[in-house]
Amino acid sequence: EAGVVQSPRYKIIEKKQPVAFWCNPISGHNTLYWYRQNLGQGPELLIRYENEEAVDDSQLPKDRFSAERLKGVDSTLKIQPAELGDSAVYLCATQGVRDEQFFGPGTRLTVL
Amino acid sequence: AQKITQTQPGMFVQEKEAVTLDCTYDTSDPSYGLFWYKQPSSGEMIFLIYQGSYDQQNATEGRYSLNFQKARKSANLVISASQLGDSAMYFCAMREGGNYGQNFVFGPGTRLSVLP
């Protein structure tokens, strides 16, 4: 069974540019999370989806961040415009039967 | 207030010895789950072990065991017979609430270095 797939793995952009991250979850996993992980810290939740519904986006900076999960499968996280402080690893995770989370490899974003 | 506390920023252990990584948590919810994840330098987060708040016995998964002390709100990870490949960041996490799909909170992590 394939794991959580994320692309791109690395992205370098200049500030004020837009950027998008894509996540393909494990088949059948209805709950999907986006996290941001700053260097040397634990992941911080940005948004959680149950199927196609965003059930918790309270931590998402809505002035510049947006997310969607069409048809309850793939998800996209977008930043527009990016700021220097957005440099981080963006992790996508889905939830298994024991509530454990399966993480993708992440997208490392560098904003110059 | 921090919901997950990991007081050891870094730990060293000799290969083949056991090591305990500390984790304390804060919740008023009677139903919760506790998790440990490993993050090697490659960046991938790997699930290690799970303990439910109503579980009577401490969880074990191979060389990993969770020392769950509910009254003290601690959920320490014990790694037996450390291997060089165990060198990584280790994160303790908590899921509050009894319903499937609640949010997770992660601690700041402990960096474990296994010495040959």
Side-chain angles (χ1 to χ4, degrees):
Chain A
E1 181 181 273
V4 177
V5 179
Q6 288 188 250
S7 68
R9 291 294 311 277
Y10 305 91
K11 189 73 176 178
I12 301 174
I13 61 172
E14 294 188 346
K15 62 182 181 181
K16 301 184 182 180
Q17 293 299 307
V19 64
F21 315 123
W22 175 78
C23 174
N24 176 244
I26 294 173
S27 177
H29 285 193
N30 299 325
T31 306
L32 183 147
Y33 301 78
W34 281 102
Y35 290 91
R36 176 169 58 190
Q37 186 176 24
N38 293 313
L39 189 64
Q41 299 181 22
E44 296 176 330
L45 179 71
L46 291 173
I47 190 168
R48 173 168 66 95
Y49 281 94
E50 295 291 343
N51 298 302
E52 66 275 8
E53 182 182 358
V55 295
D56 188 344
D57 62 357
S58 59
Q59 305 298 319
L60 192 71
K62 298 183 184 62
D63 56 336
R64 297 183 301 107
F65 286 65
S66 64
E68 62 181 8
R69 191 183 183 195
L70 300 177
K71 301 181 180 179
V73 181
D74 292 2
S75 179
T76 303
L77 178 69
K78 298 179 181 177
I79 308 175
Q80 182 171 11
E83 297 179 352
L84 295 176
D86 296 330
S87 294
V89 176
Y90 291 83
L91 295 165
C92 178
T94 61
Q95 193 152 335
V97 295
R98 290 188 295 173
D99 285 354
E100 76 275 33
Q101 293 188 312
F102 296 91
F103 284 83
T107 296
R108 182 177 298 276
L109 174 67
T110 301
V111 182
L112 304 176
Chain B
Q2 291 290 332
K3 290 206 168 188
I4 298 288
T5 302
Q6 294 180 256
T7 58
Q8 306 154 315
M11 287 282 287
F12 291 89
V13 65
Q14 208 69 37
E15 191 178 8
K16 299 181 184 179
E17 293 186 349
V19 63
T20 298
L21 306 184
D22 295 342
C23 172
T24 58
Y25 59 93
D26 182 27
T27 182
S28 57
D29 198 320
S31 178
Y32 52 90
L34 297 160
F35 304 78
W36 277 92
Y37 290 85
K38 172 184 178 181
Q39 189 175 43
S41 56
S42 60
E44 182 183 3
M45 293 281 283
I46 303 167
F47 166 72
L48 295 178
I49 196 167
Y50 163 78
Q51 180 85 42
S53 59
Y54 294 120
D55 293 343
Q56 296 295 315
Q57 293 187 321
N58 287 343
T60 60
E61 293 279 355
R63 294 187 299 111
Y64 304 107
S65 61
L66 199 151
N67 184 359
F68 182 43
Q69 298 188 44
K70 194 170 183 176
R72 298 179 60 186
K73 294 188 175 180
S74 74
N76 298 340
L77 176 71
V78 180
I79 305 175
S80 63
S82 297
Q83 301 171 357
L84 295 178
D86 293 334
S87 293
M89 284 290 289
Y90 288 81
F91 292 97
C92 180
M94 176 174 66
R95 180 217 12 99
E96 291 181 289
N99 294 326
Y100 180 85
Q102 294 297 307
N103 287 340
F104 287 70
V105 176
F106 285 81
T110 295
R111 181 173 297 280
L112 177 66
S113 299
V114 181
L115 305 175

